[in-house]
Amino acid sequence: MPNKISQGFTVWFTGLSGSGKTTASHLLAKRLRDAGACLEVLDGDVIRTRLSKGLGFSKEDREENIRRIGFVCELLSRNGVIAIVAAISPYRAMRDQVRTNIQNFVEIYMDCPIEVLVGRDVKGLYKQARAGEIPHFSGISDPYEAPLHPEVTIHSAEETEEEGVEKIWTTLHTLGLISCDRVQSQNIV
Amino acid sequence: MPNKISQGFTVWFTGLSGSGKTTASHLLAKRLRDAGACLEVLDGDVIRTRLSKGLGFSKEDREENIRRIGFVCELLSRNGVIAIVAAISPYRAMRDQVRTNIQNFVEIYMDCPIEVLVGRDVKGLYKQARAGEIPHFSGISDPYEAPLHPEVTIHSAEETEEEGVEKIWTTLHTLGLISCDRVQSQNIV
């Protein structure tokens, strides 16, 4: 039966739409999987379908959405699984509340100037948001509160995705959450 | 880092209110924990607070609640964690749908005649339900569809809790999900 005690943790990407959260989260997931880790990527769209159907984008609904993601991260992390979240999660207090419930919580701030995001606008969402066609759009018609003390800040307008993930990797090492030369799981027979 | 591949599974207790789901689930959890397993008990009340706030007891809401619990079980099970659920989960089709998403799904039917439950009525809920004070009460004013082929049926009016858990334990062995003489988790260094 499953019987290891190993160290789970949660890597939580926060940042505006288009700041590179999803790409970085999948790159990190690949690197961790290649190293043999058990993990789940909690993707915003999947969560909205499977955990938060019916919730919208008001402050209250966003907070409830984050609470639920946080609950799932808590369950995974405390059982030795790595949870990786990519969610705008614009409210600082809510992220901090999630943090208090998770022993190893690593917050990654994808920092990108709004003018860069508006300039890129890969999905055309910023144009729509500025035209008032998408209400509650973080950074345009809704607040985004950057973390004050994230474990890692990635300046995604200046750093490549690989550089960003390398910074995260180093931090996970420094925090003692990953290690290349030893296995942190223990079996109890 | 967490890096075991081990066999997770989901034990899903279904049955009417008062049929002994919660007691049996905790007894099973204790026995599994004592054997060194990593597990989560997904308790109905906790789930209603942390995952399904706002959902009621209509068929649609109950189904959505079960879908969400199923999603969490899926995430835990496929990462080697045991998920134990105690939820009335009255609709057969919905339980069967959850089953299709989880590789090792063990359904436990807590079978207890309604007249026994009404006679016991530990929480006084049946009295209230029969007086029409609790709408959508499974078995009284709402359907309960018993499983057709559960992995285990516990006749909770006749069997002790210990006997019931012993039957589950035997079934988990038979299914190859637990084993006393070998560790099923593998480390990949």
Side-chain angles (χ1 to χ4, degrees), chain A residues 7-11 77 83 99 101-106 175 177:
Chain A
Q7 200 166 10
F9 54 89
T10 293
V11 181
S77 290
R99 178 190 285 269
N101 290 325
I102 298 174
Q103 203 187 348
N104 299 309
F105 185 85
V106 184
L175 293 171
L177 297 172

Side-chain angles (χ1 to χ4, degrees), chain B:
Chain B
M1 70 188 75
N3 56 0
K4 43 84 219 175
I5 296 176
S6 63
Q7 200 167 10
F9 54 90
T10 293
V11 180
W12 191 287
F13 288 88
T14 175
L16 291 168
S17 177
S19 61
K21 300 181 298 299
T22 299
T23 308
S25 67
H26 285 287
L27 212 59
L28 176 66
K30 188 184 180 314
R31 190 156 169 185
L32 285 163
R33 276 207 190 96
D34 287 348
C38 268
L39 65 88
E40 285 293 334
V41 178
L42 299 175
D43 173 85
D45 291 343
V46 173
I47 292 295
R48 285 267 170 192
T49 311
R50 302 200 63 186
L51 216 57
S52 293
K53 203 176 154 189
L55 291 181
F57 294 87
S58 66
K59 182 169 194 283
E60 193 181 22
D61 279 8
R62 280 181 191 273
E63 290 187 340
E64 181 58 23
N65 183 45
I66 296 304
R67 251 184 232 112
R68 290 181 193 169
I69 300 176
F71 175 58
V72 174
C73 289
E74 192 184 324
L75 298 182
L76 290 169
S77 289
R78 73 184 181 200
N79 284 290
V81 182
I82 299 168
I84 301 178
V85 176
I88 296 171
S89 45
Y91 296 106
R92 189 183 298 137
M94 188 48 53
R95 293 192 306 267
D96 289 347
Q97 190 182 309
V98 169
R99 179 189 284 271
T100 63
N101 290 325
I102 298 174
Q103 203 187 349
N104 298 309
F105 185 84
V106 185
E107 191 175 22
I108 315 292
Y109 174 35
M110 299 300 283
D111 186 12
C112 189
I114 187 87
E115 54 270 27
V116 173
L117 296 171
V118 170
R120 282 185 197 156
D121 205 10
V122 183
K123 296 181 190 168
L125 296 175
Y126 282 95
K127 191 179 171 194
Q128 285 178 268
R130 298 208 316 171
E133 291 162 16
I134 308 177
H136 294 301
F137 197 89
S138 300
I140 302 291
S141 47
D142 234 30
Y144 176 80
E145 301 168 357
L148 298 179
H149 306 290
E151 276 71 10
V152 179
T153 297
I154 296 174
H155 302 284
S156 60
E158 300 153 23
E159 297 173 89
T160 67
E161 291 144 0
E162 287 73 17
E163 285 167 341
V165 169
E166 187 59 38
K167 278 166 78 170
I168 301 172
W169 196 262
T170 303
T171 300
L172 294 176
H173 263 276
T174 306
L175 294 171
L177 297 172
I178 59 170
S179 168
C180 282
D181 56 349
R182 65 191 174 94
V183 182
Q184 297 200 352
S185 65
Q186 300 172 301
N187 277 330
I188 300 170
V189 182

Side-chain angles (χ1 to χ4, degrees), chain A residues 55-100:
Chain A
L55 291 182
F57 293 87
S58 66
K59 183 170 195 281
E60 194 181 21
D61 278 8
R62 282 182 190 272
E63 290 187 339
E64 182 59 23
N65 183 46
I66 295 306
R67 251 184 232 113
R68 291 181 193 169
I69 301 175
F71 175 57
V72 174
C73 290
E74 192 184 323
L75 297 182
L76 290 168
S77 290
R78 74 184 179 199
N79 284 290
V81 182
I82 299 167
I84 301 178
V85 176
I88 297 171
S89 45
Y91 297 105
R92 187 184 299 137
M94 188 48 54
R95 295 192 306 269
D96 289 346
Q97 191 182 308
V98 169
R99 178 190 285 269
T100 62

Side-chain angles (χ1 to χ4, degrees), chain A:
Chain A
M1 71 187 74
N3 56 0
K4 44 82 221 176
I5 297 177
S6 62
Q7 200 166 10
F9 54 89
T10 293
V11 181
W12 190 287
F13 287 88
T14 175
L16 291 168
S17 177
S19 62
K21 300 182 297 298
T22 299
T23 308
S25 67
H26 286 286
L27 211 60
L28 175 65
K30 188 184 179 315
R31 189 156 170 185
L32 284 165
R33 277 206 189 95
D34 288 348
C38 267
L39 64 87
E40 286 293 333
V41 178
L42 299 174
D43 174 85
D45 290 344
V46 173
I47 292 296
R48 284 267 170 193
T49 311
R50 302 200 62 185
L51 215 57
S52 294
K53 204 176 154 189
L55 291 182
F57 293 87
S58 66
K59 183 170 195 281
E60 194 181 21
D61 278 8
R62 282 182 190 272
E63 290 187 339
E64 182 59 23
N65 183 46
I66 295 306
R67 251 184 232 113
R68 291 181 193 169
I69 301 175
F71 175 57
V72 174
C73 290
E74 192 184 323
L75 297 182
L76 290 168
S77 290
R78 74 184 179 199
N79 284 290
V81 182
I82 299 167
I84 301 178
V85 176
I88 297 171
S89 45
Y91 297 105
R92 187 184 299 137
M94 188 48 54
R95 295 192 306 269
D96 289 346
Q97 191 182 308
V98 169
R99 178 190 285 269
T100 62
N101 290 325
I102 298 174
Q103 203 187 348
N104 299 309
F105 185 85
V106 184
E107 191 174 24
I108 315 293
Y109 174 35
M110 299 300 282
D111 186 12
C112 190
I114 186 85
E115 53 271 24
V116 173
L117 295 171
V118 170
R120 284 185 196 156
D121 204 11
V122 183
K123 297 182 190 167
L125 295 175
Y126 282 95
K127 192 180 170 194
Q128 285 177 268
R130 296 204 322 168
E133 291 160 16
I134 308 177
H136 293 300
F137 197 89
S138 302
I140 301 292
S141 47
D142 233 30
Y144 176 80
E145 302 167 358
L148 298 179
H149 306 291
E151 274 73 9
V152 180
T153 297
I154 296 175
H155 302 282
S156 60
E158 300 153 24
E159 297 173 88
T160 66
E161 291 145 0
E162 287 73 17
E163 286 168 339
V165 170
E166 188 58 40
K167 279 167 75 170
I168 300 172
W169 197 261
T170 304
T171 300
L172 294 177
H173 263 276
T174 307
L175 293 171
L177 297 172
I178 59 171
S179 166
C180 283
D181 56 349
R182 65 190 174 93
V183 181
Q184 298 202 352
S185 64
Q186 300 173 301
N187 277 329
I188 301 170
V189 183

